[in-house]
Amino acid sequence: MGDAVDMLLDQWRRERPDVDPWPMGVVGRVSRLARLLDRELKEFFSAYDLEIWEFDVLATLRRSGPPYELTAGALNRAAMVTSGAITNRIDRMAARGLVERIPDSGDRRSIRVRLTERGLALVDEVLEPHVANEARLLAPLAPRDRDHLTETLRTLLASLGDTTLG
């Protein structure tokens, strides 16, 4: 069974037989898969009135452990967005009552972002169905294939320097 990328590769082989397009097969599939997964996750989170990035912030704070707070800088590094973007995200989530800003007792120039009770309850409500949804999306893979894919992606990510959350 072929996929859309196979069609693209066939076109390149026909038009430029002098170039082996094999890298396009890998990168194209990863890119297309990322877009398809993003669409599926967006639809899933919309049922909880959440954006993907909102769940990412809630989950980052939740997995940090009690008191479920981080500096805005730590959130920024985990989210891999600009400082302006994280400020905007925190503002929007604070307006929804999901997070609150707390002055950093160790650094007066800094603030900490903490889950509110509402934010904690929401992330805990969404977590199990989210994991089940991701399992559904990966169900076509046999456990052996899933483990191989995990290791292969880990190797590629590490080779590109993605070895920390910051």
Side-chain angles (χ1 to χ4, degrees):
M1 175 175 66
D3 64 9
V5 176
D6 286 328
M7 292 180 219
L8 299 171
L9 295 175
D10 287 344
Q11 290 171 337
W12 277 119
R13 287 183 187 108
R14 182 188 69 235
E15 294 301 315
R16 290 292 307 269
D18 58 312
V19 176
D20 184 358
W22 76 263
M24 292 177 171
V26 175
V27 174
R29 285 184 176 95
V30 169
S31 295
R32 291 175 73 90
L33 182 59
R35 285 193 296 274
L36 290 168
L37 291 172
D38 191 57
R39 185 178 68 201
E40 291 282 338
L41 293 175
K42 185 174 183 143
E43 183 179 325
F44 171 81
F45 287 122
S46 71
Y48 294 90
D49 194 29
L50 283 172
E51 299 288 336
I52 294 171
W53 62 264
E54 288 174 311
F55 179 79
D56 286 343
V57 170
L58 293 173
T60 300
L61 291 169
R62 178 64 172 95
R63 71 175 182 265
S64 72
Y68 311 116
E69 67 182 43
L70 293 169
T71 65
L75 273 176
N76 186 28
R77 287 186 297 277
M80 295 176 57
V81 296
T82 66
S83 60
I86 201 66
T87 299
N88 185 7
R89 290 177 178 190
I90 294 166
D91 288 346
R92 290 173 61 184
M93 293 182 74
R96 291 188 59 195
L98 301 174
V99 299
E100 59 187 342
R101 287 182 167 87
I102 307 292
D104 189 330
S105 60
D107 181 357
R108 291 184 303 174
R109 297 168 298 171
S110 183
I111 61 137
R112 298 186 73 75
V113 180
R114 178 184 296 166
L115 282 179
T116 61
E117 286 184 28
R118 181 173 178 216
L120 179 60
L122 181 58
V123 71
D124 281 347
E125 173 190 350
V126 174
L127 183 62
E128 285 186 52
H130 167 57
V131 172
N133 183 53
E134 287 187 336
R136 176 190 65 82
L137 295 171
L138 298 173
L141 298 176
R144 181 186 74 245
D145 294 336
R146 182 182 62 223
D147 293 344
H148 181 71
L149 178 60
T150 297
E151 187 57 37
T152 301
L153 292 173
R154 180 183 296 116
T155 299
L156 186 56
L157 286 166
S159 77
L160 294 172
D162 190 35
T163 58
T164 67
L165 292 177

